[in-house]
């Protein structure tokens, strides 16, 4: 049972799930989880402008009792109830085109394939793997550029994410200022990126390349025990703003082979049309592992559920990518720079994993 109250209001109410039925009742005395929200945050949840992770990371919630990770698992119910999105059923979903034809969730494409077929698959699955987009020489140049961007990162610079390994050593997970490098800055103008961008709905744009978060360098590390190098199941609008900033599309340009051993991405096909809550990265029925090679590009819709589990190997090269993002024109409803800035508060640049953020003393 989830109990909710609003700051400044004397009333509270509860959500109770019994045998697949949801009951909303006055009062919260019997609720195992009881939280208090500001009225504007509650309205934001109802309208898909706020998210439970964003509210938790932002410290904009008062917990009266219970495990806040269980509150996380209520997000799918609230999203389904108030936005009309059905709840995603892992393992029961069948990937089909708009005309009902079965689609292979592990399908791959090339730049020479039909734009209509690629657009259809991206729309249905929420992701797309395009093989051999960039040459070896181009990837070598991008690797060097990514290494130079990483070399300039400093803990607490508010332009990078950091984690720690088991020995307590800081490890760099991503740089948000990749567009400041002259090799990476022109990527949005590349003819192949433009060809893939033509698959997206009308009205998509990108931020100026040198702007923070426009071009991101992702560096996968083995053995990370703290931080967000290994991302659990999430959506890219998971810190808030879905109703205004989506559909967002993220392009991943692979600098090294991304196998399961190297920590490649996983997707829940079709989940961008459904409600699905937070869960630790791991085995989810129906999840599709998407291995990629250096020079490949994946495109995914920001609202599709995806995960970046840890590498299974402890040596060799690991997944490294350059991320580009396309989105509609939008304003942050809270008037802030970026919804993900809620993750950048640590003066050492350490991004706390949500399971650690919600621990009670």
């Amino acid at each position: 049972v989830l109990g909710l109250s609003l700051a400044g209001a004397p009333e509270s109410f509860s959500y109770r799930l019994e045998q697949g039925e949801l009951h909303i009742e006055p009062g919260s005395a019997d609720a195992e989880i009881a939280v208090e929200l500001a009225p504007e945050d509650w309205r934001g949840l109802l309208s898909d402008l706020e998210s439970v992770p964003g509210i938790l990371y932002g410290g904009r919630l008062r917990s009266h009792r219970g495990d806040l990770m269980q509150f996380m698992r209520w997000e799918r119910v609230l999203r389904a109830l108030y936005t009309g999105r059905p709840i995603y059923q892992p393992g029961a979903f069948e990937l089909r085109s708009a005309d009902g034809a079965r689609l292979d969730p592990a399908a791959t494409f090339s730049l020479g394939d039909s734009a209509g077929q690629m657009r259809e698959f991206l729309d249905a699955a929420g992701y797309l793997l395009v093989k051999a987009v960039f040459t070896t020489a181009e990837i070598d140049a991008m690797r060097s550029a990514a290494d130079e961007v990483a070399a300039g990162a400093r803990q607490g610079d508010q332009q990078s994410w950091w984690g720690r390994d088991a020995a307590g050593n800081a490890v760099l997970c991503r740089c948000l200022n990749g567009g400041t490098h002259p090799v990476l800055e022109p990527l949005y103008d590349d003819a192949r990126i433009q060809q893939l961008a033509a698959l997206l709905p009308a009205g998509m744009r990108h931020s100026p390349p040198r702007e923070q978060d426009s071009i991101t360098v992702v560096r996968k590390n083995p053995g990370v025990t703290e931080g967000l190098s290994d991302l659990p199941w999430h959506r890219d609008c998971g810190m808030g703003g879905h109703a205004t900033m989506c559909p967002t599309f993220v392009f991943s340009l692979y600098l090294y082979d991304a196998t399961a051993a190297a920590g490649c991405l996983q997707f829940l096909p079709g989940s961008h049309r459904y409600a699905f809550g937070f869960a630790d990265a791991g085995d989810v029925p129906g999840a599709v592992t998407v291995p990629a090679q250096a020079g490949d590009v994946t495109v995914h819709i920001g609202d599709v559920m995806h995960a970046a589990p840890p590498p299974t190997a402890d040596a060799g090269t690991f997944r490294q990518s350059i991320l580009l993002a396309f989105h509609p024109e939008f304003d942050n409803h809270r008037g802030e720079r970026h919804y993900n800035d809620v993750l950048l508060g640590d003066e050492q640049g350490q991004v706390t994993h949500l399971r650690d953020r919600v621990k009670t003393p």
Side-chain angles (χ1 to χ4, degrees):
V1 180
L2 169 66
L4 282 169
S5 59
L6 302 183
E11 302 88 359
S12 64
F13 52 99
S14 297
Y15 294 88
R16 183 189 304 273
L17 276 174
E18 289 183 348
Q19 298 179 341
E21 292 187 350
L22 178 66
H23 304 269
I24 304 177
E25 306 166 345
S28 59
D30 297 332
E32 295 91 350
I33 313 157
V35 298
E36 180 182 304
L37 298 171
E40 60 269 23
D41 286 334
W42 175 240
R43 288 192 294 268
L45 278 179
L46 303 189
S47 60
D48 231 353
L49 282 171
E50 293 291 352
S51 69
V52 172
I55 290 172
L56 289 173
Y57 268 112
R60 305 194 316 274
L61 173 148
R62 182 180 178 186
S63 175
H64 294 296
R65 62 181 173 274
D67 179 2
L68 287 179
M69 290 304 292
Q70 293 302 318
F71 180 38
M72 283 289 305
R73 291 178 171 87
W74 273 89
E75 183 179 38
R76 74 183 80 184
V77 178
L78 298 176
R79 205 173 185 215
L81 179 62
Y82 293 110
T83 70
R85 287 171 169 253
I87 293 177
Y88 191 83
Q89 301 294 334
F93 180 83
E94 290 187 345
L95 187 62
R96 294 182 180 271
S97 66
D99 62 6
R102 287 180 180 270
L103 297 174
D104 178 5
T108 65
F109 298 86
S110 71
L111 288 176
D113 286 331
S114 160
Q117 289 180 340
M118 288 195 284
R119 187 179 293 113
E120 178 180 65
F121 187 88
L122 176 61
D123 183 62
Y127 58 87
L128 182 76
L129 172 60
V130 186
K131 303 294 293 180
V133 175
F134 292 96
T135 67
T136 299
E138 289 170 323
I139 289 300
D140 286 342
M142 289 187 213
R143 287 174 180 170
S144 296
D147 287 344
E148 290 174 16
V149 171
R154 299 290 182 270
Q155 292 188 74
D157 62 10
Q158 302 300 296
Q159 298 184 108
S160 53
W161 291 14
W162 296 75
R164 289 191 179 91
D165 62 20
N169 300 312
V171 291
L172 178 63
C173 301
R174 65 177 59 200
C175 301
L176 309 179
N177 59 341
T180 59
H181 195 285
V183 169
L184 305 182
E185 183 180 5
L187 281 172
Y188 282 109
D189 295 325
D190 185 275
R192 291 155 294 186
I193 296 300
Q194 289 293 311
Q195 180 181 344
L196 294 175
L199 302 175
L200 311 183
M204 296 296 104
R205 60 178 295 274
H206 62 80
S207 300
R210 298 181 66 86
E211 187 174 291
Q212 186 165 315
D213 294 293
S214 180
I215 300 179
T216 300
V217 177
V218 172
R219 298 167 64 91
K220 194 71 172 175
N221 303 281
V224 174
T225 58
E226 297 181 42
L228 281 182
S229 177
D230 306 320
L231 290 170
W233 289 106
H234 69 286
R235 48 194 175 99
D236 293 327
C237 54
M239 293 299 112
H242 169 78
T244 58
M245 68 183 287
C246 287
T248 291
F249 293 84
V250 178
F251 289 34
S252 296
L253 287 55
Y254 290 89
L255 304 184
Y256 296 92
D257 291 353
T259 62
C264 67
L265 292 174
Q266 295 179 317
F267 293 95
L268 293 183
S271 57
H272 55 298
R273 301 186 186 279
Y274 294 81
F276 188 82
F278 173 93
D280 288 335
D283 293 333
V284 175
V288 177
T289 298
V290 181
Q293 295 175 303
D296 293 351
V297 173
T298 54
V299 180
H300 73 262
I301 299 174
D303 203 35
V304 74
M305 293 300 295
H306 55 290
T312 58
D314 56 12
T317 57
F318 302 96
R319 179 170 63 86
Q320 290 192 33
S321 307
I322 307 297
L323 304 189
L324 310 177
F326 290 84
H327 49 77
E329 188 75 43
F330 74 95
D331 292 319
N332 185 309
H333 78 282
R334 294 198 297 266
E336 300 169 357
R337 191 196 71 86
H338 195 289
Y339 288 101
N340 285 347
D341 282 355
V342 71
L343 301 172
L344 293 173
D346 192 311
E347 64 182 13
Q348 294 185 328
Q350 295 288 328
V351 180
T352 307
H353 195 290
L354 190 58
R355 63 173 176 259
D356 299 318
R357 185 79 172 213
V358 301
K359 283 181 179 176
T360 54

